[in-house]
Amino acid sequence: MLTSSAHADTRTGTGHEEVEGAGRERTADVVIVGAGLAGLAAAHRLTAAGLRVLVLEAAPAAGGRLRTDQLEGYRLDRSPGVLSLDRDADAFTRLPALEALSLRPFTPGALLHAEGRRHRVAARRTERGSQPVRAGRTALLDRRTRGAGSTRGASTALTTARALTGARTRADMSDALGLVRLRVSLARFASVPPQGLLSRPEVPTCQALTDRGLPSRPAETLVRPLLTALLSDPALTTSSRVADLTLRGFARGGLGVPAGGQATVTELLAAALPPGTVRTGVRVTSVSTHAVRTEEHGTFGCAAVLVATGARSAATLLPGLRVPQFHPVTVLHHAAEEPLPPSVSGPSFTVCAERDGTEPDPVSHTWVASSVDPSRAAPGRTLITSVVLGERAAEPPTALDKAARLQLAGVYGTSTDRWELLAAYHDPDAVPAMPAPHDPRRPVRVLSGLYVCGEHRDTSTPRGALSSAERATEQILRDFGRPAACAEPVRETAA
């Protein structure tokens, strides 16, 4: 079994240069510290503008948090790696290096597992269904609404009738009506322009659930678990504007994962840069406007420095930089010997609601990773990925595995006694918190020649990381007196 913390990485790097010996060029127009998504995206934009760029990464391999381990034929992501096929995929289209990236979609929407029952919350259907899609511009999911116009009312009525037919108790009736209201609300979110959502008052998401009139039981049993999974925030302190945009993206495009693992994203970006651009195994100790000092590899001269690390590392290099609170996450990967029951073996994103009056179960959401992306496991093998949030994410792997197996046995309707825990990846700083009020456009220019980017400067999503990188490179190019390298930049608030 693999266990790790984000602060202890032993993976061997491949495909990138390690800085050793003399004779290598030690100067560049811009030195980027950090070879994660934001740093590599910034390197592409600056290189395209004609600047010479060096990317220095302390870890043995590029990727930041987008890392994938290979173990006994399984591909195991170190973080959840779930993407919005509306917002994140749209941001990826602006990077030519990701034209070859294939995204594997979940079944549209999500399954809510509550008190032994499953409720389907559907996202907008697409013509491509659950088939793989490319991140390139020409192969985006077709997001045109089907069944619009006069059939919408009939569809809603039929959905309501079906939901009420299955209700056995007053609580079931409340859940059924709440589910219908949630489906209607998601359909509404899909059609509202982002600026319409951003004009709403900004409050904590937990308060917004009450303010918007949803009955308390459906809010707690259906809506809260879904938002918790999408935001990685059990307390729902996240800004309601961020939550609204997240729900809109979920309703419009659904969710998916990169084929082959999340490391595929950064591997494609790193491979498309000029040889020698990315240098791994280089730990930076200090930065200034014209120099980057390292622990064992001397000093690199430059005209500008872009710090593209996580928030804590960035604040170490740039004293005074704000460090947010974080939402901890643990990812569990289980291998199942026996096939799962057909009703639960499909590519569904399953959200686990808490049972009334019981100790909270650890798993927030789970999916059959080998069904969503068959490359995650060898033929005939089943890989189940589950995510633990909040305080329980910090529990020892053995205790967490025991509690998770008990819960997952109910979710998947099968014995988990013979499941094998392949890996438990814990990251205490997995998701920078975004409490209300949240500024999604934090400054990226510290001073002329010194810049910072990363999801902690925007929103805690791949789209946010890319948006901050584009804002930082725009500022660098402006200070260099050069035009922007590519077209319209990503905006987290854009459609």
Side-chain angles (χ1 to χ4, degrees):
M1 179 188 74
L2 298 177
T3 60
S4 79
S5 167
H7 301 307
D9 194 330
T10 59
R11 182 179 173 183
T12 301
T14 59
H16 310 292
E17 291 195 64
E18 296 224 7
V19 178
E20 295 179 359
R24 298 270 180 92
E25 290 187 69
R26 309 188 65 80
T27 61
D29 294 317
V30 182
V31 172
I32 298 175
V33 183
L37 179 60
L40 293 173
H44 273 273
R45 287 177 59 85
L46 294 172
T47 300
L51 299 181
R52 184 170 184 275
V53 177
L54 285 178
V55 182
L56 306 182
E57 169 59 49
R65 287 194 172 90
L66 300 185
R67 302 287 296 280
T68 304
D69 287 333
Q70 297 191 38
L71 176 69
E72 300 174 359
Y74 295 96
R75 295 175 181 267
L76 311 176
D77 282 349
R78 291 194 170 206
S79 60
V82 176
L83 304 173
S84 164
L85 293 182
D86 178 68
R87 301 182 66 72
D88 296 327
D90 180 63
F92 286 165
T93 66
R94 290 167 167 83
L95 291 168
L98 296 182
E99 283 285 336
L101 179 65
S102 178
L103 303 178
R104 298 287 312 197
F106 290 90
T107 299
L111 276 181
L112 296 180
H113 185 272
E115 300 179 349
R117 303 185 67 184
R118 300 183 188 91
H119 309 278
R120 170 65 65 181
V121 178
R124 175 183 289 184
R125 292 185 178 275
T126 65
E127 292 186 4
R128 294 180 185 268
S130 296
Q131 297 302 309
V133 295
R134 297 284 179 183
R137 288 183 184 273
T138 59
L140 282 174
L141 286 170
D142 186 338
R143 304 187 186 98
R144 290 172 293 177
T145 305
R146 299 174 102 186
S150 61
T151 62
R152 180 173 297 176
S155 176
T156 302
L158 181 59
T159 299
T160 305
R162 286 173 175 169
L164 296 179
T165 299
R168 297 188 296 268
T169 65
R170 180 173 296 179
D172 288 344
M173 184 77 72
S174 176
D175 284 348
L177 290 172
L179 184 63
V180 172
R181 294 184 67 176
L182 176 57
R183 288 169 175 162
V184 171
S185 295
L186 287 174
R188 187 180 302 119
F189 267 103
S191 60
V192 175
Q195 292 304 323
L197 298 177
L198 292 171
S199 66
R200 295 181 174 188
E202 186 178 19
V203 297
T205 299
C206 56
Q207 180 181 332
L209 288 181
T210 302
D211 292 349
R212 292 174 186 172
L214 194 66
S216 59
R217 178 177 169 83
E220 290 299 313
T221 60
L222 301 175
V223 184
R224 176 180 282 273
L226 177 61
L227 284 171
T228 294
L230 295 176
L231 300 171
S232 299
D233 177 12
L236 293 186
T237 58
T238 299
S239 161
S240 58
R241 291 179 179 173
V242 173
D244 285 346
L245 290 169
T246 301
L247 272 180
R248 181 180 184 272
F250 170 79
R252 284 171 60 86
L255 306 172
V257 295
Q262 59 187 357
T264 305
V265 177
T266 48
E267 287 171 357
L268 287 170
L269 290 173
L273 288 168
T277 298
V278 180
R279 303 188 181 184
T280 59
V282 183
R283 185 172 299 278
V284 173
T285 57
S286 66
V287 299
S288 64
T289 55
H290 297 293
V292 174
R293 295 172 177 80
T294 68
E295 190 171 75
E296 298 179 348
H297 300 94
T299 300
F300 292 80
C302 57
V305 177
L306 172 59
V307 177
T309 66
R312 291 193 192 278
S313 296
T316 300
L317 296 173
L318 301 171
L321 198 70
R322 170 186 174 274
V323 179
Q325 298 295 313
F326 297 91
H327 299 307
V329 172
T330 292
V331 179
L332 304 175
H333 295 287
H334 287 96
E337 293 186 2
E338 296 84 10
L340 297 176
S343 61
V344 294
S345 63
S348 289
F349 183 84
T350 301
V351 176
C352 308
E354 295 179 5
R355 293 170 293 178
D356 291 340
T358 64
E359 181 182 355
D361 289 319
V363 174
S364 163
H365 47 289
T366 180
W367 61 94
V368 184
S370 53
S371 180
V372 182
D373 176 13
S375 72
R376 303 296 178 103
R381 299 183 181 182
T382 301
L383 176 65
I384 298 96
T385 298
S386 306
V387 177
V388 181
L389 305 174
E391 295 180 357
R392 300 210 64 175
E395 293 183 8
T398 301
L400 200 55
D401 176 41
K402 182 179 179 180
R405 285 174 187 264
L406 181 62
Q407 179 186 2
L408 294 172
V411 172
Y412 288 105
T414 190
S415 173
T416 58
D417 293 343
R418 298 181 63 186
W419 285 16
E420 178 187 0
L421 179 63
L422 298 173
Y425 298 124
H426 175 63
D427 186 352
D429 298 346
V431 181
M434 299 176 284
H438 177 71
D439 180 6
R441 293 179 61 82
R442 296 186 183 280
V444 293
R445 185 181 189 267
V446 180
L447 50 87
S448 181
L450 200 56
Y451 312 85
V452 60
C453 69
E455 60 183 11
H456 53 93
R457 312 308 297 165
D458 207 282
T459 57
S460 305
T461 62
R463 183 186 180 95
L466 294 176
S467 173
S468 74
E470 294 192 0
R471 289 193 291 119
T473 54
E474 281 182 347
Q475 187 63 63
I476 292 171
L477 293 174
R478 189 177 300 119
D479 288 348
F480 270 71
R482 299 201 180 200
C486 64
E488 179 184 359
V490 172
R491 303 294 188 199
E492 178 60 25
T493 55

